[in-house]
Amino acid sequence: MSSSAHLGVPVVLSGPSGVGKTTIRNQLLARYQDIVASVSATTRPPRPGEAHGKDYLFLSEEAFQEGIRGGMFAEHAEVHGRWYGTPRGPLEERLEQGADVLLVIDVQGGLQVKEAYPEALMIFLLPPSREELHRRLSGRGEDSEETIALRMKNAEWEMTFSQRYDYWVLNRSLEEAVSQVRAILVADRCRRERARVRLSRLGLSWL
Ligand code: 5GP
């Protein structure tokens, strides 16, 4: 099926580690029944509290490479020395059902999604400042100083891709960021509805 036949669209949410992507995704999922999220595959080990199949599909390096060869991923990329990918099957299935599917992925993956699904909504989440980003990364208490330094360096690099995204959301407060992402989604649905009705006409003679 060509991507234009899909009813839903992929919603790509990217931004540097620690900017709050996962928190925003969880809030959107908790509040809005019409948003679903893709569960990524990764070769990184689970963090405490993370569950296989819910937070990620935790795969071995071999299984992941096998997945790449078999065309299992809609996009995949190496991030901080580990592999991450969006399983293609579940994504396509949800899109065909008409769901908008949230993909919390890095910039390399985001650009691959835009290439494969030109209708994808591209949202970049920005931290209020560099200092605040460092504070949030340290505050998670999950990563070593070395890992945090690597993530800060990677953040600078990821920010250079922000120009390729359609929307920027500054994460000053969780409430504001969640409502802005929601507003972008709702507005885009109205735009798609217009295109859909005009195409089918649906016997609506006044349109
Ligand atoms: P973490 O290991 O902290 O959960 O995620 C590290 C980075 O990998 C984040 O920037 C996250 O957005 C990215 N990531 C998570 N899942 C995927 C995916 O399926 N594809 C790509 N390209 N990046 C992902």
Side-chain angles (χ1 to χ4, degrees):
M1 182 179 276
S2 81
S3 59
S4 60
H6 294 137
L7 294 170
V9 297
V11 180
V12 173
L13 192 60
S14 297
S17 292
V19 75
K21 300 181 297 266
T22 308
T23 311
I24 288 171
R25 177 191 57 191
N26 292 344
Q27 284 295 316
L28 287 165
L29 292 177
R31 292 184 204 185
Y32 306 108
Q33 308 309 311
D34 55 349
I35 301 177
V36 297
S38 159
V39 178
S40 296
T42 184
T43 59
R44 84 151 163 77
R47 296 195 182 117
E50 285 184 332
H52 179 80
K54 180 176 168 282
D55 299 287
Y56 280 103
L57 301 172
F58 295 101
L59 301 184
S60 67
E61 184 73 33
E62 299 71 48
F64 198 97
Q65 295 304 328
E66 182 62 36
I68 295 176
R69 284 192 294 275
M72 175 186 166
F73 302 116
E75 60 75 31
H76 65 274
E78 197 176 358
V79 185
H80 316 310
R82 303 286 189 173
W83 286 98
Y84 293 83
T86 303
R88 186 192 305 278
L91 170 66
E92 298 258 322
E93 201 175 300
R94 303 317 292 272
L95 293 176
E96 281 158 26
Q97 289 164 353
D100 291 334
V101 185
L102 202 51
L103 308 181
V104 178
I105 62 179
D106 92 309
V107 291
Q108 308 169 80
L111 296 181
Q112 291 174 44
V113 169
K114 187 69 182 172
E115 186 90 14
Y117 307 88
E119 70 278 20
L121 262 179
M122 306 289 286
I123 305 173
F124 198 90
L125 205 57
L126 293 148
S129 66
R130 185 177 286 128
E131 292 69 33
E132 177 61 20
L133 183 64
H134 189 274
R135 203 184 61 74
R136 290 185 193 175
L137 282 173
S138 314
R140 291 207 291 202
E142 291 164 347
D143 301 307
S144 66
E145 259 313 314
E146 195 190 346
T147 305
I148 292 167
L150 180 69
R151 289 185 177 220
M152 283 302 291
K153 192 160 157 262
N154 203 265
E156 305 277 349
W157 176 78
E158 288 209 69
M159 299 285 277
T160 66
F161 286 82
S162 56
Q163 300 286 346
R164 312 272 291 270
Y165 281 66
D166 303 317
Y167 298 96
W168 288 6
V169 170
L170 191 62
N171 190 12
R172 276 183 296 251
S173 88
L174 179 64
E175 269 313 308
E176 195 186 5
V178 168
S179 68
Q180 286 185 2
V181 173
R182 173 69 178 166
I184 293 166
L185 253 163
V186 172
D188 193 67
R189 276 193 197 146
C190 294
R191 192 181 56 76
R192 278 179 273 148
E193 192 62 14
R194 173 176 179 267
R196 197 178 65 77
V197 172
R198 280 175 68 121
L199 272 177
S200 67
R201 303 211 186 264
L202 293 175
L204 300 175
S205 55
W206 61 88
L207 292 173

